[in-house]
Amino acid sequence: MLGFYTRANVPQVAILAPVFILDWWSMVLQVLGYTKLILQIGRGEFEPQGGQTVKDFDVEYYRYKNSLKEDVEKASLIISHAGSGSVLEALGAGKPLLVVINEDLMDNHQLEVANQLYIDGHVFYANTKNLKQTLESEDFSKLKPFPRADPKTFSNFIDSVMGFS
């Protein structure tokens, strides 16, 4: 099984310390049956520490790609920062999603979005303090698929407001 982690494209050192320790990922994800992790680490001065293969657990990482689509499609589990673009991309692909919120942001809007998606049954969320515990304790097979958008919904609404229907 393949795990994919994507993070925001802003330097966030303190909240993402575990992301840069490959042995940590290996320890947590191998227990869950994962054999590989791909990290999209964004910009910043830090790079993952440790070997590319840690006890039969392969790790790849990169800063940027033109598209994350291929990695998202291959992943069995996506662990993402709580940016709405990344969250919607993962949900749109129908992948199990663990959202990692940045509690240091002003007004903590990430928590609001993650919590509502959790209440609706589409994601689990964590912060870096409880990330390991959340990965180990939640049953990702119980997440509900995110409903597909219906492009006619908006146009039907406008038609009804304008009296065309």
Side-chain angles (χ1 to χ4, degrees), residues 43-164:
R43 69 178 167 192
E45 60 188 66
F46 292 95
E47 292 196 14
Q49 302 299 305
Q52 291 298 100
T53 301
V54 183
K55 300 175 188 161
D56 300 321
F57 185 82
D58 293 324
V59 177
E60 292 177 17
Y61 65 91
Y62 58 87
R63 293 205 180 274
Y64 300 104
K65 282 186 179 178
N66 289 334
S67 172
L68 302 179
K69 184 178 180 180
E70 182 182 343
D71 293 326
V72 167
E73 288 175 355
K74 289 190 304 188
S76 305
L77 171 67
I78 298 173
I79 304 165
S80 175
H81 70 103
S84 57
S86 296
V87 169
L88 289 174
E89 184 172 6
L91 290 173
K95 299 296 180 165
L97 177 61
L98 174 60
V99 175
V100 182
I101 58 171
N102 179 351
E103 295 176 312
D104 295 334
L105 293 177
M106 188 174 17
D107 80 15
N108 209 355
H109 63 281
Q110 289 187 350
L111 177 59
E112 293 174 22
V113 172
N115 188 53
Q116 187 60 54
L117 288 168
Y118 170 77
I119 289 169
D120 294 342
H122 303 300
V123 304
F124 292 114
Y125 71 91
N127 57 40
T128 56
K129 295 177 192 88
N130 67 359
L131 178 58
K132 180 179 182 289
Q133 175 187 349
T134 304
L135 278 166
E136 293 172 337
S137 66
E138 297 296 355
D139 182 354
F140 289 89
S141 68
K142 293 185 177 182
L143 292 173
K144 298 177 192 173
F146 193 70
R148 298 275 179 216
D150 180 1
K152 289 193 169 208
T153 301
F154 183 70
S155 63
N156 290 342
F157 171 74
I158 294 298
D159 286 350
S160 70
V161 168
M162 300 301 291
F164 298 132

